PDB file of all heavy atoms in Angstrom:
ATOM      1  N   LYS A  22    -125.811  12.411  15.613  1.00 73.00           N
ATOM      2  CA  LYS A  22    -124.872  11.302  15.694  1.00 73.00           C
ATOM      3  C   LYS A  22    -123.569  11.829  16.371  1.00 73.00           C
ATOM      4  O   LYS A  22    -123.059  12.895  16.043  1.00 73.00           O
ATOM      5  CB  LYS A  22    -124.531  10.810  14.338  1.00 73.00           C
ATOM      6  CG  LYS A  22    -125.578   9.970  13.701  1.00 73.00           C
ATOM      7  CD  LYS A  22    -125.107   9.334  12.459  1.00 73.00           C
ATOM      8  CE  LYS A  22    -126.217   8.409  11.925  1.00 73.00           C
ATOM      9  NZ  LYS A  22    -125.824   7.729  10.716  1.00 73.00           N
ATOM     10  N   GLY A  23    -123.083  11.027  17.352  1.00 69.00           N
ATOM     11  CA  GLY A  23    -121.856  11.403  18.010  1.00 69.00           C
ATOM     12  C   GLY A  23    -122.043  12.474  19.087  1.00 69.00           C
ATOM     13  O   GLY A  23    -121.136  12.915  19.727  1.00 69.00           O
ATOM     14  N   GLY A  24    -123.267  12.879  19.241  1.00 71.00           N
ATOM     15  CA  GLY A  24    -123.541  13.936  20.233  1.00 71.00           C
ATOM     16  C   GLY A  24    -123.116  15.295  19.731  1.00 71.00           C
ATOM     17  O   GLY A  24    -122.480  15.446  18.702  1.00 71.00           O
ATOM     18  N   LYS A  25    -123.483  16.287  20.480  1.00 76.00           N
ATOM     19  CA  LYS A  25    -123.213  17.649  20.110  1.00 76.00           C
ATOM     20  C   LYS A  25    -122.722  18.359  21.354  1.00 76.00           C
ATOM     21  O   LYS A  25    -123.337  18.266  22.398  1.00 76.00           O
ATOM     22  CB  LYS A  25    -124.467  18.287  19.575  1.00 76.00           C
ATOM     23  CG  LYS A  25    -124.484  19.348  18.562  1.00 76.00           C
ATOM     24  CD  LYS A  25    -123.652  19.219  17.409  1.00 76.00           C
ATOM     25  CE  LYS A  25    -124.330  19.888  16.146  1.00 76.00           C
ATOM     26  NZ  LYS A  25    -123.398  19.942  15.102  1.00 76.00           N
ATOM     27  N   LYS A  26    -121.662  19.105  21.276  1.00 81.00           N
ATOM     28  CA  LYS A  26    -121.235  19.964  22.351  1.00 81.00           C
ATOM     29  C   LYS A  26    -121.627  21.385  22.011  1.00 81.00           C
ATOM     30  O   LYS A  26    -121.360  21.879  20.897  1.00 81.00           O
ATOM     31  CB  LYS A  26    -119.706  19.848  22.536  1.00 81.00           C
ATOM     32  CG  LYS A  26    -119.276  18.517  23.064  1.00 81.00           C
ATOM     33  CD  LYS A  26    -117.785  18.504  23.337  1.00 81.00           C
ATOM     34  CE  LYS A  26    -117.425  17.134  23.789  1.00 81.00           C
ATOM     35  NZ  LYS A  26    -115.972  17.023  24.074  1.00 81.00           N
ATOM     36  N   ILE A  27    -122.318  22.005  22.928  1.00 84.00           N
ATOM     37  CA  ILE A  27    -122.858  23.371  22.712  1.00 84.00           C
ATOM     38  C   ILE A  27    -122.237  24.273  23.767  1.00 84.00           C
ATOM     39  O   ILE A  27    -122.360  23.986  24.962  1.00 84.00           O
ATOM     40  CB  ILE A  27    -124.359  23.417  22.741  1.00 84.00           C
ATOM     41  CG1 ILE A  27    -124.914  22.482  21.670  1.00 84.00           C
ATOM     42  CG2 ILE A  27    -124.863  24.809  22.563  1.00 84.00           C
ATOM     43  CD1 ILE A  27    -126.392  22.246  21.761  1.00 84.00           C
ATOM     44  N   LEU A  28    -121.607  25.339  23.349  1.00 88.00           N
ATOM     45  CA  LEU A  28    -121.042  26.311  24.287  1.00 88.00           C
ATOM     46  C   LEU A  28    -122.066  27.480  24.419  1.00 88.00           C
ATOM     47  O   LEU A  28    -122.463  28.038  23.419  1.00 88.00           O
ATOM     48  CB  LEU A  28    -119.761  26.896  23.765  1.00 88.00           C
ATOM     49  CG  LEU A  28    -119.092  28.018  24.492  1.00 88.00           C
ATOM     50  CD1 LEU A  28    -118.737  27.579  25.947  1.00 88.00           C
ATOM     51  CD2 LEU A  28    -117.882  28.562  23.763  1.00 88.00           C
ATOM     52  N   ILE A  29    -122.496  27.698  25.644  1.00 89.00           N
ATOM     53  CA  ILE A  29    -123.454  28.813  25.909  1.00 89.00           C
ATOM     54  C   ILE A  29    -122.664  29.907  26.536  1.00 89.00           C
ATOM     55  O   ILE A  29    -122.052  29.740  27.588  1.00 89.00           O
ATOM     56  CB  ILE A  29    -124.579  28.300  26.782  1.00 89.00           C
ATOM     57  CG1 ILE A  29    -125.362  27.213  26.102  1.00 89.00           C
ATOM     58  CG2 ILE A  29    -125.476  29.476  27.211  1.00 89.00           C
ATOM     59  CD1 ILE A  29    -126.413  26.526  26.960  1.00 89.00           C
ATOM     60  N   ILE A  30    -122.730  31.078  25.921  1.00 91.00           N
ATOM     61  CA  ILE A  30    -122.060  32.233  26.502  1.00 91.00           C
ATOM     62  C   ILE A  30    -123.161  33.246  26.830  1.00 91.00           C
ATOM     63  O   ILE A  30    -124.040  33.607  26.023  1.00 91.00           O
ATOM     64  CB  ILE A  30    -121.107  32.896  25.450  1.00 91.00           C
ATOM     65  CG1 ILE A  30    -119.997  31.881  25.065  1.00 91.00           C
ATOM     66  CG2 ILE A  30    -120.498  34.173  26.001  1.00 91.00           C
ATOM     67  CD1 ILE A  30    -119.080  32.268  24.000  1.00 91.00           C
ATOM     68  N   SER A  31    -123.149  33.667  28.075  1.00 90.00           N
ATOM     69  CA  SER A  31    -124.236  34.546  28.586  1.00 90.00           C
ATOM     70  C   SER A  31    -123.778  35.262  29.810  1.00 90.00           C
ATOM     71  O   SER A  31    -122.572  35.205  30.188  1.00 90.00           O
ATOM     72  CB  SER A  31    -125.445  33.648  28.947  1.00 90.00           C
ATOM     73  OG  SER A  31    -126.518  34.464  29.357  1.00 90.00           O
ATOM     74  N   HIS A  32    -124.682  35.939  30.435  1.00 90.00           N
ATOM     75  CA  HIS A  32    -124.440  36.569  31.727  1.00 90.00           C
ATOM     76  C   HIS A  32    -124.634  35.552  32.837  1.00 90.00           C
ATOM     77  O   HIS A  32    -125.240  34.486  32.604  1.00 90.00           O
ATOM     78  CB  HIS A  32    -125.333  37.768  31.905  1.00 90.00           C
ATOM     79  CG  HIS A  32    -125.104  38.874  30.910  1.00 90.00           C
ATOM     80  ND1 HIS A  32    -124.141  39.821  31.075  1.00 90.00           N
ATOM     81  CD2 HIS A  32    -125.726  39.169  29.777  1.00 90.00           C
ATOM     82  CE1 HIS A  32    -124.129  40.626  30.041  1.00 90.00           C
ATOM     83  NE2 HIS A  32    -125.082  40.250  29.211  1.00 90.00           N
ATOM     84  N   GLY A  33    -124.256  35.876  34.012  1.00 88.00           N
ATOM     85  CA  GLY A  33    -124.264  34.934  35.143  1.00 88.00           C
ATOM     86  C   GLY A  33    -125.647  34.447  35.509  1.00 88.00           C
ATOM     87  O   GLY A  33    -125.826  33.214  35.651  1.00 88.00           O
ATOM     88  N   ASP A  34    -126.638  35.266  35.591  1.00 88.00           N
ATOM     89  CA  ASP A  34    -127.963  34.899  36.028  1.00 88.00           C
ATOM     90  C   ASP A  34    -128.634  33.896  35.066  1.00 88.00           C
ATOM     91  O   ASP A  34    -129.165  32.865  35.557  1.00 88.00           O
ATOM     92  CB  ASP A  34    -128.901  36.072  36.290  1.00 88.00           C
ATOM     93  CG  ASP A  34    -128.540  36.780  37.641  1.00 88.00           C
ATOM     94  OD1 ASP A  34    -127.811  36.174  38.459  1.00 88.00           O
ATOM     95  OD2 ASP A  34    -129.054  37.903  37.840  1.00 88.00           O
ATOM     96  N   PRO A  35    -128.671  34.138  33.752  1.00 90.00           N
ATOM     97  CA  PRO A  35    -129.314  33.121  32.891  1.00 90.00           C
ATOM     98  C   PRO A  35    -128.612  31.776  32.988  1.00 90.00           C
ATOM     99  O   PRO A  35    -129.294  30.732  33.020  1.00 90.00           O
ATOM    100  CB  PRO A  35    -129.133  33.746  31.499  1.00 90.00           C
ATOM    101  CG  PRO A  35    -129.081  35.220  31.700  1.00 90.00           C
ATOM    102  CD  PRO A  35    -128.319  35.358  33.009  1.00 90.00           C
ATOM    103  N   VAL A  36    -127.291  31.707  33.028  1.00 90.00           N
ATOM    104  CA  VAL A  36    -126.582  30.472  33.126  1.00 90.00           C
ATOM    105  C   VAL A  36    -126.850  29.816  34.505  1.00 90.00           C
ATOM    106  O   VAL A  36    -127.087  28.594  34.543  1.00 90.00           O
ATOM    107  CB  VAL A  36    -125.056  30.651  32.913  1.00 90.00           C
ATOM    108  CG1 VAL A  36    -124.273  29.403  33.211  1.00 90.00           C
ATOM    109  CG2 VAL A  36    -124.811  31.147  31.481  1.00 90.00           C
ATOM    110  N   PHE A  37    -126.919  30.615  35.572  1.00 88.00           N
ATOM    111  CA  PHE A  37    -127.223  30.111  36.858  1.00 88.00           C
ATOM    112  C   PHE A  37    -128.599  29.431  36.873  1.00 88.00           C
ATOM    113  O   PHE A  37    -128.760  28.322  37.340  1.00 88.00           O
ATOM    114  CB  PHE A  37    -127.216  31.250  37.874  1.00 88.00           C
ATOM    115  CG  PHE A  37    -127.727  30.843  39.243  1.00 88.00           C
ATOM    116  CD1 PHE A  37    -126.955  30.108  40.103  1.00 88.00           C
ATOM    117  CD2 PHE A  37    -129.053  31.156  39.635  1.00 88.00           C
ATOM    118  CE1 PHE A  37    -127.436  29.725  41.401  1.00 88.00           C
ATOM    119  CE2 PHE A  37    -129.491  30.830  40.866  1.00 88.00           C
ATOM    120  CZ  PHE A  37    -128.696  30.107  41.784  1.00 88.00           C
ATOM    121  N   PHE A  38    -129.597  30.112  36.245  1.00 86.00           N
ATOM    122  CA  PHE A  38    -130.958  29.522  36.252  1.00 86.00           C
ATOM    123  C   PHE A  38    -131.065  28.324  35.352  1.00 86.00           C
ATOM    124  O   PHE A  38    -131.830  27.420  35.603  1.00 86.00           O
ATOM    125  CB  PHE A  38    -131.989  30.600  35.884  1.00 86.00           C
ATOM    126  CG  PHE A  38    -132.318  31.462  37.079  1.00 86.00           C
ATOM    127  CD1 PHE A  38    -131.969  32.777  37.075  1.00 86.00           C
ATOM    128  CD2 PHE A  38    -132.962  30.925  38.174  1.00 86.00           C
ATOM    129  CE1 PHE A  38    -132.267  33.587  38.177  1.00 86.00           C
ATOM    130  CE2 PHE A  38    -133.244  31.707  39.258  1.00 86.00           C
ATOM    131  CZ  PHE A  38    -132.896  33.037  39.274  1.00 86.00           C
ATOM    132  N   MET A  39    -130.330  28.244  34.261  1.00 87.00           N
ATOM    133  CA  MET A  39    -130.316  27.038  33.420  1.00 87.00           C
ATOM    134  C   MET A  39    -129.805  25.870  34.289  1.00 87.00           C
ATOM    135  O   MET A  39    -130.364  24.786  34.232  1.00 87.00           O
ATOM    136  CB  MET A  39    -129.405  27.210  32.234  1.00 87.00           C
ATOM    137  CG  MET A  39    -129.950  28.081  31.184  1.00 87.00           C
ATOM    138  SD  MET A  39    -128.749  28.193  29.781  1.00 87.00           S
ATOM    139  CE  MET A  39    -129.533  29.395  28.759  1.00 87.00           C
ATOM    140  N   ASN A  40    -128.737  26.151  35.028  1.00 86.00           N
ATOM    141  CA  ASN A  40    -128.115  25.085  35.816  1.00 86.00           C
ATOM    142  C   ASN A  40    -129.042  24.624  36.937  1.00 86.00           C
ATOM    143  O   ASN A  40    -129.273  23.386  37.086  1.00 86.00           O
ATOM    144  CB  ASN A  40    -126.776  25.654  36.409  1.00 86.00           C
ATOM    145  CG  ASN A  40    -125.913  24.562  36.996  1.00 86.00           C
ATOM    146  OD1 ASN A  40    -125.962  23.411  36.630  1.00 86.00           O
ATOM    147  ND2 ASN A  40    -125.154  24.936  37.953  1.00 86.00           N
ATOM    148  N   VAL A  41    -129.551  25.537  37.727  1.00 85.00           N
ATOM    149  CA  VAL A  41    -130.407  25.070  38.845  1.00 85.00           C
ATOM    150  C   VAL A  41    -131.698  24.471  38.401  1.00 85.00           C
ATOM    151  O   VAL A  41    -132.150  23.498  39.017  1.00 85.00           O
ATOM    152  CB  VAL A  41    -130.673  26.273  39.874  1.00 85.00           C
ATOM    153  CG1 VAL A  41    -129.392  26.733  40.516  1.00 85.00           C
ATOM    154  CG2 VAL A  41    -131.474  27.369  39.239  1.00 85.00           C
ATOM    155  N   ALA A  42    -132.245  24.955  37.248  1.00 81.00           N
ATOM    156  CA  ALA A  42    -133.515  24.344  36.774  1.00 81.00           C
ATOM    157  C   ALA A  42    -133.232  22.941  36.202  1.00 81.00           C
ATOM    158  O   ALA A  42    -134.012  22.002  36.414  1.00 81.00           O
ATOM    159  CB  ALA A  42    -134.134  25.207  35.720  1.00 81.00           C
ATOM    160  N   ALA A  43    -132.123  22.771  35.547  1.00 81.00           N
ATOM    161  CA  ALA A  43    -131.768  21.504  34.979  1.00 81.00           C
ATOM    162  C   ALA A  43    -131.566  20.450  36.097  1.00 81.00           C
ATOM    163  O   ALA A  43    -131.841  19.237  35.880  1.00 81.00           O
ATOM    164  CB  ALA A  43    -130.514  21.584  34.120  1.00 81.00           C
ATOM    165  N   PHE A  44    -131.107  20.874  37.264  1.00 83.00           N
ATOM    166  CA  PHE A  44    -130.890  19.913  38.384  1.00 83.00           C
ATOM    167  C   PHE A  44    -132.046  19.925  39.368  1.00 83.00           C
ATOM    168  O   PHE A  44    -132.007  19.278  40.442  1.00 83.00           O
ATOM    169  CB  PHE A  44    -129.606  20.287  39.093  1.00 83.00           C
ATOM    170  CG  PHE A  44    -128.386  19.880  38.280  1.00 83.00           C
ATOM    171  CD1 PHE A  44    -127.683  20.802  37.594  1.00 83.00           C
ATOM    172  CD2 PHE A  44    -128.005  18.549  38.226  1.00 83.00           C
ATOM    173  CE1 PHE A  44    -126.562  20.442  36.825  1.00 83.00           C
ATOM    174  CE2 PHE A  44    -126.899  18.173  37.507  1.00 83.00           C
ATOM    175  CZ  PHE A  44    -126.166  19.091  36.792  1.00 83.00           C
ATOM    176  N   GLY A  45    -133.145  20.665  39.039  1.00 82.00           N
ATOM    177  CA  GLY A  45    -134.330  20.600  39.910  1.00 82.00           C
ATOM    178  C   GLY A  45    -134.226  21.346  41.250  1.00 82.00           C
ATOM    179  O   GLY A  45    -134.916  20.978  42.164  1.00 82.00           O
TER     180      GLY A  45
END
């Protein structure tokens, strides 16, 4: 309910791949 904000702290490559995969 109300949504959830999640902060992901990581190194550059894992965050980069989450981003590019999420956008196809």
Side-chain angles (χ1 to χ4, degrees):
K22 286 189 176 181
K25 210 46 148 169
K26 292 184 182 179
I27 300 170
L28 174 64
I29 298 173
I30 300 173
S31 182
H32 295 278
D34 284 346
V36 172
F37 172 78
F38 280 113
M39 286 179 188
N40 193 29
V41 297
F44 287 100

